Amino acid sequence: MFETPWKISNEILRRLAYPRARIRFALNGIHWGKNWRIYGAPIIQRFRGSTLVLGNGLGLRSSVRSNPLGANRPVILCTWKKGAVLEIGENFGMTGGTICAAERIQIGDNVIIGANSTIIDTDFHPLDADTRRRQPQDARTAPIVIEDDVFIGMNCTILKGVVIGRGSVIGAGSVVTHDIPARSIAAGNPARVIRVLAQRA
Ligand SMILES: CC(C)(COP(=O)(O)OP(=O)(O)OC[C@H]1O[C@@H](n2cnc3c(N)ncnc32)[C@H](O)[C@@H]1OP(=O)(O)O)[C@@H](O)C(=O)NCCC(=O)NCCS
């Protein structure tokens, strides 16, 4: 602890931020789980009639000082429409960035998301100009699944309809537009598999 004095102040600030964070979750009808570590106040936006479930062991870092990579915005967890589902498993960790579900985003256990990444299962706006004017809410959506033990690097964008397979790693700054198989390292824009991780014996 003495070698990393900023961690002491981070812990003090975490405890001071607790009441505010707890109120934010409670106002959104979200049960406070076991062993949650919430640094700074996240932004929680739950559409009434949608589902937002967060597992035990949640770690959210919204304050700039809470991670050397520096959150450039608080963590934003959002369900965008009635009936949307955002479900996150146990031991999830994220610094800054956004997860927004208009339809369904399912995240497994032990998933880590690097600083300032964005995961959205909708285009937010229709692609056709007339529709965009007349029915702006008719954007395309497709569910996202992020399986157990996935590690997503910093500044990534995960777009609608993708499945990231168990144990895979997404390189920093990648844009994921297609499925990534299990135990793969994928990177780039659009993200492509660059290496397959060895199976554990
Ligand atoms: C994805 C990553 C883990 C891969 O590491 P690695 O297996 O050691 O990969 P290498 O450095 O050997 O690179 C292999 C190839 O992929 C490319 N590559 C690696 N990371 C890349 C990235 N983020 N985007 C685009 N291409 C990438 C390399 O240029 C290299 O290409 P080449 O074979 O044509 O030379 C690493 O590059 C990375 O992005 N780490 C950052 C993780 C992060 O964001 N952590 C912060 C969490 S908060």
Side-chain angles (χ1 to χ4, degrees):
M1 256 315 192
F2 292 113
E3 289 162 333
T4 54
W6 66 89
K7 290 191 179 172
I8 300 172
S9 63
N10 278 344
E11 285 308 309
I12 294 167
L13 291 171
R14 174 168 77 90
R15 278 156 221 274
L16 289 174
Y18 252 37
R20 203 162 144 222
R22 282 195 91 122
I23 288 169
R24 274 172 198 228
F25 283 102
L27 287 175
N28 282 282
I30 298 166
H31 170 73
W32 189 270
K34 281 190 196 143
N35 302 322
W36 280 17
R37 298 171 74 81
I38 310 295
Y39 296 85
I43 296 173
I44 310 293
Q45 297 174 335
R46 186 170 78 83
F47 204 104
R48 206 169 272 184
S50 70
T51 304
L52 207 170
V53 178
L54 306 166
N56 293 328
L58 180 75
L60 300 181
R61 292 174 182 266
S62 294
S63 61
V64 183
R65 289 166 195 278
S66 61
N67 182 314
L69 294 172
N72 63 17
R73 60 188 191 273
V75 170
I76 303 172
L77 301 178
C78 173
T79 49
W80 188 244
K81 287 189 172 177
K82 191 172 183 180
V85 177
L86 170 53
E87 272 180 355
I88 297 179
E90 310 242 312
N91 307 319
F92 175 79
M94 176 172 182
T95 297
T98 300
I99 306 178
C100 183
E103 185 178 340
R104 184 176 199 96
I105 298 180
Q106 192 87 40
I107 297 179
D109 294 335
N110 310 312
V111 169
I112 300 171
I113 301 190
N116 306 314
S117 290
T118 300
I119 301 174
I120 47 172
D121 69 353
T122 173
D123 292 330
F124 283 97
H125 304 284
L127 303 188
D128 173 71
D130 277 346
T131 318
R132 206 156 48 236
R133 276 193 299 276
R134 283 186 276 109
Q135 288 127 354
Q137 71 286 356
D138 278 1
R140 290 187 308 176
T141 66
I144 292 175
V145 178
I146 297 174
E147 294 182 351
D148 295 349
D149 300 308
V150 165
F151 167 29
I152 294 174
M154 58 192 160
N155 300 316
C156 286
T157 303
I158 315 296
L159 294 174
K160 65 181 188 303
V162 305
V163 177
I164 302 180
R166 189 182 187 128
S168 283
V169 176
I170 308 298
S174 298
V175 179
V176 181
T177 57
H178 292 99
D179 293 356
I180 305 297
R183 287 184 305 280
S184 308
I185 302 182
N189 179 6
R192 307 270 187 229
V193 173
I194 57 173
R195 197 152 63 80
V196 175
L197 290 159
Q199 286 257 36
R200 270 213 218 125

